[in-house]
Amino acid sequence: MEKKVAVYICKGCDIGASLDVGALSKVATDECNAAICRDHECLCGDAGREMIKQDVREGANALVVAACSPRFMTDVFMFDGCRTERVNLREHVVWSHEPNDEDTQMLADDYLRMGVARAKKAEVPDSFEAEINKTVLVVGGGVTGMTAALDAAGAGYEVVLVEREEELGGWAGKFKYRFPLSAPYRELELVDLKPRIEAVESNERIKVYKGATVGRIDGQPGQFDVAVKANGSSAEFRVGAIVQATGWKPYDASKLGHLGYGRCPNVITNVEMEELIASGRI
Ligand code: SF4
């Protein structure tokens, strides 16, 4: 369909008082060759919308609304059979720059040029049906990854869980105590991941790769092609969604010599303290 570009410049919300709307209109018509350019005191009101609708009835089909943020009045400027490009003169230009200033006017001109270019070139994409894969890839077999895998499997999805270490559990598996998770929240609780690990490894919907890394991910939501490397071999499969639960790495405390690390034996990291507790040395 041949495009008929129509530009509408709102003068409300300080726009008309801060910009030379006549000069802006010339940018639309003389420079950008828009078929129509009109301004209005309040484009979002009934009279402003009716003005646009009349042009649509007469063949305008690529609309540029130079007014407020596209997050505002979104539905108000949607018209059947048309694409509407929004140019944010209010928040991006007049509310954030000096009014009636040469640079502010130039900024408005540029935003309008870009809006008209989008209106000329953008097309509504043809709709198509994509095959959506329902398998969930969980990267990381710590508490977060295992919980995500169990929840997804419990909701009926197939899950592939990839863990870099040879065992599930992550950092939490190395710690002895954790913050209390149940009332009255006074005593630390022992970390016991065994039931959760068993639940993951025995779940028929969860395929676990241990000692494995994700080598490649291509594609898009619903259609991710994944390659996993494990024990010298590689497995490739498709998933629809990916949960990144890759955890954290301890900071290199050797960079904190100014805090006494490496010089004072009693200055240790939280991980080293957890290891002391787990080994029973404190
Ligand atoms: S809300 Fe938007 S369309 Fe309505 S008067 Fe203000 S700038 Fe114009």
Side-chain angles (χ1 to χ4, degrees), residues 10 12-13 15 41-44 67-68 72-73 77 90:
C10 185
C13 294
I15 296 171
E41 295 297 331
C42 178
L43 213 48
C44 57
C68 40
F72 199 62
M73 303 277 181
F77 294 116
R90 190 177 71 173

Side-chain angles (χ1 to χ4, degrees), residues 5 7 22-35 37 105-106 108-117 120:
V5 178
V7 177
L24 203 54
S25 300
K26 279 195 167 39
V27 171
T29 51
D30 299 359
E31 187 184 320
C32 300
N33 298 321
C37 181
Q105 183 73 30
M106 283 168 59
D109 292 351
D110 273 349
Y111 274 123
L112 192 66
R113 287 184 189 105
M114 290 189 276
V116 176
K120 284 180 177 173

Side-chain angles (χ1 to χ4, degrees), residues 8 48-58 79:
Y8 302 94
R49 274 174 47 82
E50 188 48 44
M51 178 180 77
I52 300 174
K53 278 185 189 169
Q54 182 58 35
D55 287 340
V56 170
R57 283 192 285 270
E58 291 173 6
F79 300 94

Side-chain angles (χ1 to χ4, degrees), residues 143 178-191 193 196:
V143 170
R178 69 179 179 196
F179 289 110
L181 297 178
S182 49
Y185 305 102
R186 291 209 182 94
E187 304 294 333
L188 291 174
E189 295 176 5
L190 277 172
V191 176
L193 294 181
R196 198 177 305 219

